[in-house]
Amino acid sequence: MPTLMIKCKTCGEVFGGLYVDEDSNPKLRVSATNTNTLHMCSRGHNNEYVLEDYMDWS
Ligand SMILES: [Zn+2]
């Protein structure tokens, strides 16, 4: 399953942001449902992410 990764804006840690279905366009899915979303890295830094912050590593 493709994964969209995001990078912590505080410490630079890369972690998984979203998991998407293979038969859908990940960016469209993100755009439709998860823009401007808060994510917390494993160190507890909370940052807000927009579509451009997601990296498609699939
Ligand atoms: Zn962090």
Side-chain angles (χ1 to χ4, degrees), residues 24-34 51:
S24 65
N25 185 316
K27 303 215 169 183
L28 283 179
R29 176 67 65 87
V30 171
S31 180
T33 62
N34 283 289
L51 179 60

Side-chain angles (χ1 to χ4, degrees), residues 8 10 38-41 44-49:
C8 177
T10 304
L38 287 170
H39 289 284
M40 188 182 292
C41 84
H45 306 128
N46 217 3
N47 291 284
E48 186 172 344
Y49 294 89

Side-chain angles (χ1 to χ4, degrees), residues 13-33:
E13 178 181 294
V14 175
F15 58 100
L18 291 172
Y19 300 91
V20 297
D21 297 331
E22 287 186 4
D23 59 352
S24 65
N25 185 316
K27 303 215 169 183
L28 283 179
R29 176 67 65 87
V30 171
S31 180
T33 62

